[in-house]
Amino acid sequence: MILKRIFPAAPCQWFVSLVALALFAGTTHAQTARTYSISALDISQVEQGWGEPQANKSVEGHTLSIGGQTFTNGLGTHASSEFILDVGGRAESFSAVVGIDDEVGKGKGSVVFKVLGDTNQVFWESKELHGGDAPVAVNVSLADVKQLTLLVDGGESIDSDHADWADAKVVMTRGRPSVFSSLKEEAIILTPKPSPKPRINSTKVFGVRPGAPFLYTIAVTGDRPMTFVAKGLPKGLKLDPKTGCITGSLKEKGEHVVTLRAKNALGEATQKFKIICGAQIGLVPALGWNSWNCFASAVTAEKVKSVAAAMVSSGLINHGWTYINIDDFWEVHRDSKDPTLQGPQRDADGHIIPNPRFPDMKGLTDYIHVRGLKAGLYSSPGPWTCGGCVASWQHEELDAQSYGQWGFDYLKYDWCSYGQIDKGDTLPGLQKPYRVMRAALDKVNRDILFSFCQYGGGNVWEWGAEIGGNSWRTTGDINDSWSSMAGIGFRQNGHEKYAGPGHFNDPDMLVVGKVGWGPSLHPTRLTPNEQYTHISLWCLLASPLLIGCDMTQLDDFTLSLLSNDEVLEVNQDPLGRQAARVAQNGQLEVWAKDMEDGSKAVGLFNRGYSETSVTANWSELGLAGKQKVRDLWRQKDLGEFTGSFTASVPRHGVVLVRVWPAK
Ligand code: GAL
């Protein structure tokens, strides 16, 4: 990969020195200069991969301690971490003592601390530091610097990366440092409005088990009214020509190629559609919504219904979005004082009873199905869910039957309190609860997608498919920060060999739109470019795409992110491939995946802090000769290119293209 920084070289008066803190605390400027502790600034703006930033404490709230030495002042954070300060060209220097906090134990964690200037010039960089290493002092001159960035890079794994900027301070000649606030980006909508003519966007391949109820909605954009035709539908299935819903069931195993047709006053679209009746369902990643990242413990049936209605009224259903998944808190809570979470946990025969917020599960899934959508639910193999509600321990078969009778099509199964049953320190132990629920679901005459949630334990990607998972979480929970989203997304490299039709890696749900994990919501803290990166990367990764926001409050920008059919096609490609990183140079990365038609989807990513050009070399993509390149977000051909393609990519942004051999 060839890189060209757009910004000029750093002024030569900037220098970096690694000297003892004592030397730095000289008196030369003492009369005018003032020292400001980093921990006294608005540290809520620190972006970090885990936990919350702490003033004068470690990320876990202990006294700051590095290599046995304790500190009363400083910032406790966690890789990957970024804190950007506005020092306005009035700072003299920055100093700190850095290292991994002793709370993680000797040898644990591995981070590199970095201090960056205006153009992301690296002023200073530590060596790789681990738990127990001696503290390292940093002292950087900041003459003329406006923007100071403190970074902690956690590399591929951020496990135990509890990073301390102890005694971190800026000496100012005038004014005070503040937290950088000019990073606001304009939310530019790149996705063109859908054409009024019909375009079929639904998945091209669909797995169903013999005998199981069939529900497939032909997703089509274009003006209404629209009529639908399906030529070659096998016996047992029927199409509603007005809604485009195909229902029924198939008796026998087999493959059927159907021609779908959608027609309105302006034209007609056709699309081949392959139905594979056999053991495997979920042949492409699930597209849908989940309640956790917005409502969390505040979910109710009414909210779920309003989201299902919004999936239709927003038009997202016409782009292929299907699942409406209820996460935790539909069950009775073990000890909540909230009456809407109280009640009998199970009936006399052991059947689970939803909490009073969900008085009619069958009515709820009917509401969802009648709109051409599907419904999902959540449980844990332990006695309690992560939120402390009733879970499936020793009731797996009964629960699976209830899910089937109620009409659910998706189950997220979250390890959580199963830790009380098995420590999860052996592979058979980790697998057992998922095998038990797999067997229980197999007895239900309904196709229920099975989503493992155990945060990647035991390298689940290596065995998730073998024990019947349609997807498996590869990480802990995501949040709406750059460090969380990018940290998770870019760590997926290497998992690509385990993804394929019917079984996908799941780097957790989407954090665009209004999120909040509770009753009060806020707009995602990701910048617009970070959101483009999020959706592009998750599409390249062939991850299940589960929208995490309140769908009733969709703004135009969020809608545009979720309704770009050429981008979604990258995710829904029938080959089911997951992208891998093909080139990396510092913060610049190129990821690519093979598409069914022989083309490649390619993401040019800039994880750095200013606009930079990124090049994808054909040789790194296994390509040669002239290639046609199309910008997928803008849905625009960019021309034919020989040897490579270069694009200018914004801070934390992406250019997503598709590449075909030129004719
Ligand atoms: C977590 C899980 C989240 C959410 C939550 C519910 O363990 O990772 O996605 O399901 O539990 O309590």
Side-chain angles (χ1 to χ4, degrees):
M1 183 165 47
I2 302 165
L3 313 174
K4 192 187 102 225
R5 293 269 167 198
I6 282 173
F7 47 77
C12 53
Q13 74 266 30
W14 293 346
F15 70 93
V16 174
S17 62
L18 247 178
V19 295
L21 204 54
L23 273 180
F24 170 65
T27 53
T28 334
H29 306 277
Q31 291 80 358
T32 48
R34 282 191 63 181
T35 302
Y36 294 88
S37 284
I38 295 301
S39 57
L41 302 176
D42 178 10
I43 61 163
S44 68
Q45 299 303 313
V46 174
E47 292 248 357
Q48 59 184 53
W50 184 85
E52 295 298 325
Q54 305 288 335
N56 310 324
K57 296 268 179 234
S58 70
V59 70
E60 281 190 339
H62 302 123
T63 299
L64 293 164
S65 171
I66 308 169
Q69 204 175 316
T70 56
F71 303 85
T72 52
N73 182 282
L75 167 68
T77 181
H78 193 289
S80 302
S81 165
E82 181 190 9
F83 194 27
I84 307 178
L85 305 181
D86 183 353
V87 291
R90 300 183 304 270
E92 205 173 80
S93 56
F94 167 77
S95 66
V97 183
V98 301
I100 288 206
D101 197 277
D102 291 330
E103 70 193 3
V104 303
K106 251 196 165 52
K108 292 245 180 97
S110 114
V111 298
V112 174
F113 289 80
K114 293 181 188 174
V115 179
L116 276 62
D118 288 340
T119 52
N120 294 309
Q121 180 74 18
V122 179
F123 285 174
W124 178 83
E125 184 172 329
S126 73
K127 61 179 189 202
E128 195 173 293
L129 295 172
H130 306 273
D133 287 352
V136 175
V138 46
N139 182 353
V140 175
S141 165
L142 295 180
D144 297 332
V145 172
K146 294 192 178 65
Q147 180 180 316
L148 169 70
T149 303
L150 306 180
L151 280 186
V152 187
D153 190 346
E156 286 299 303
S157 159
I158 59 163
D159 278 0
S160 303
D161 285 351
H162 297 205
D164 295 342
W165 293 93
D167 273 341
K169 43 194 175 237
V170 174
V171 178
M172 302 289 292
T173 49
R174 277 175 300 123
R176 324 163 56 89
S178 61
V179 174
F180 210 83
S181 59
S182 69
L183 290 174
K184 291 258 172 294
E185 286 168 9
E186 204 189 330
I188 298 170
I189 293 180
L190 300 178
T191 304
K193 282 249 174 294
S195 161
K197 292 184 186 164
R199 184 191 199 275
I200 301 181
N201 304 308
S202 40
T203 141
K204 298 187 181 77
V205 56
F206 187 78
V208 61
R209 294 184 310 158
F214 190 102
L215 173 59
Y216 174 87
T217 304
I218 309 175
V220 184
T221 44
D223 285 356
R224 267 43 182 186
M226 184 94 67
T227 52
F228 301 87
V229 175
K231 222 176 115 206
L233 265 191
K235 199 162 153 256
L237 299 187
K238 66 171 194 312
L239 166 79
D240 180 331
K242 288 208 176 69
T243 61
C245 286
I246 303 174
T247 53
S249 73
L250 293 174
K251 279 209 178 74
E252 312 286 340
K253 287 186 175 174
E255 287 193 19
H256 311 272
V257 178
V258 176
T259 305
L260 305 176
R261 187 163 291 145
K263 197 172 169 190
N264 69 6
L266 299 168
E268 191 178 275
T270 59
Q271 173 81 63
K272 289 265 181 270
F273 170 50
K274 193 194 265 186
I275 299 169
I276 304 178
C277 184
Q280 191 67 64
I281 60 168
L283 299 179
V284 294
L287 290 186
W289 172 88
N290 173 292
S291 59
W292 188 252
N293 289 354
C294 47
F295 305 138
S297 65
V299 69
T300 64
E302 289 315 306
K303 285 183 182 165
V304 173
K305 281 186 184 170
S306 61
V307 162
M311 193 65 108
V312 178
S313 63
S314 65
L316 283 180
I317 188 173
N318 300 328
H319 300 274
W321 296 90
T322 302
Y323 289 92
I324 302 292
N325 293 352
I326 306 162
D327 206 277
D328 206 353
F329 286 90
W330 61 268
E331 322 86 334
V332 168
H333 197 271
R334 79 187 143 205
D335 52 16
S336 171
K337 302 272 175 297
D338 178 346
T340 67
L341 291 172
Q342 296 169 0
Q345 299 178 353
R346 293 187 177 272
D347 69 12
D349 299 323
H351 297 105
I352 189 159
I353 303 176
N355 67 39
R357 298 170 180 185
F358 291 87
D360 178 9
M361 280 299 204
K362 181 73 177 74
L364 179 55
T365 66
D366 285 348
Y367 181 96
I368 293 171
H369 290 142
V370 88
R371 284 165 173 73
L373 300 166
K374 296 189 178 189
L377 206 57
Y378 164 99
S379 190
S380 164
W384 308 106
T385 65
C386 293
C389 298
V390 179
S392 298
W393 168 237
Q394 290 185 326
H395 293 85
E396 295 83 357
E397 283 206 6
L398 280 180
D399 284 1
Q401 279 166 24
S402 297
Y403 308 151
Q405 279 157 13
W406 289 335
F408 282 97
D409 310 290
Y410 189 114
L411 176 67
K412 170 174 171 183
Y413 207 44
D414 192 347
W415 175 271
C416 258
S417 71
Y418 193 80
Q420 298 170 20
I421 315 295
D422 186 294
K423 281 204 217 89
D425 48 3
T426 66
L427 213 47
L430 276 169
Q431 294 177 343
K432 187 170 170 204
Y434 291 90
R435 288 187 193 276
V436 170
M437 185 47 94
R438 175 72 272 167
L441 291 174
D442 286 345
K443 292 188 183 149
V444 176
N445 182 32
R446 201 170 172 88
D447 285 347
I448 300 180
L449 276 191
F450 195 17
S451 148
F452 295 3
C453 177
Q454 42 85 290
Y455 340 112
N459 291 351
V460 61
W461 42 90
E462 291 171 3
W463 46 267
E466 187 192 311
I467 66 166
N470 294 110
S471 65
W472 45 83
R473 278 268 296 274
T474 54
T475 74
D477 288 15
I478 197 168
N479 66 46
D480 58 324
S481 68
W482 166 251
S483 44
S484 167
M485 183 279 290
I488 288 175
F490 291 106
R491 271 203 310 278
Q492 301 306 309
N493 193 46
H495 297 163
E496 63 279 356
K497 46 185 170 297
Y498 306 107
H503 47 92
F504 297 98
N505 291 295
D506 173 7
D508 207 4
M509 302 175 288
L510 302 178
V511 281
V512 298
K514 277 203 163 175
V515 293
W517 294 269
S520 49
L521 304 180
H522 61 264
T524 179
R525 290 178 294 147
L526 296 181
T527 66
N529 278 312
E530 291 168 353
Q531 295 179 60
Y532 279 118
T533 291
H534 185 20
I535 303 296
S536 305
L537 187 53
W538 263 239
C539 284
L540 283 163
L541 293 173
S543 161
L545 297 182
L546 293 170
I547 302 169
C549 68
D550 180 357
M551 303 276 298
T552 65
Q553 299 191 53
L554 275 179
D555 57 280
D556 288 349
F557 179 74
T558 309
L559 189 61
S560 80
L561 287 170
L562 302 171
S563 59
N564 191 315
D565 299 309
E566 295 197 24
V567 172
L568 291 172
E569 238 167 58
V570 174
N571 179 268
Q572 294 288 293
D573 187 69
L575 210 54
R577 293 282 167 82
Q578 173 174 331
R581 184 161 55 213
V582 297
Q584 179 175 26
N585 191 330
Q587 303 275 46
L588 311 182
E589 305 193 8
V590 178
W591 289 61
K593 78 171 239 173
D594 290 334
M595 302 284 284
E596 196 191 32
D597 69 350
S599 65
K600 285 184 191 282
V602 184
L604 290 82
F605 293 96
N606 173 11
R607 297 174 68 179
Y609 310 95
S610 57
E611 182 149 353
T612 303
S613 63
V614 181
T615 296
N617 285 311
W618 292 168
S619 58
E620 288 161 346
L621 292 166
L623 299 173
K626 213 182 249 183
Q627 306 288 326
K628 178 183 137 186
V629 177
R630 183 168 170 84
D631 182 323
L632 296 185
W633 280 107
R634 293 174 179 82
Q635 300 185 358
K636 238 176 153 168
D637 287 336
L638 298 177
E640 293 180 356
F641 296 80
T642 307
S644 65
F645 169 73
T646 299
S648 180
V649 185
R651 167 191 200 272
H652 291 181
V654 62
V655 170
L656 181 67
V657 296
R658 193 156 161 185
V659 180
W660 294 262
K663 292 245 162 62

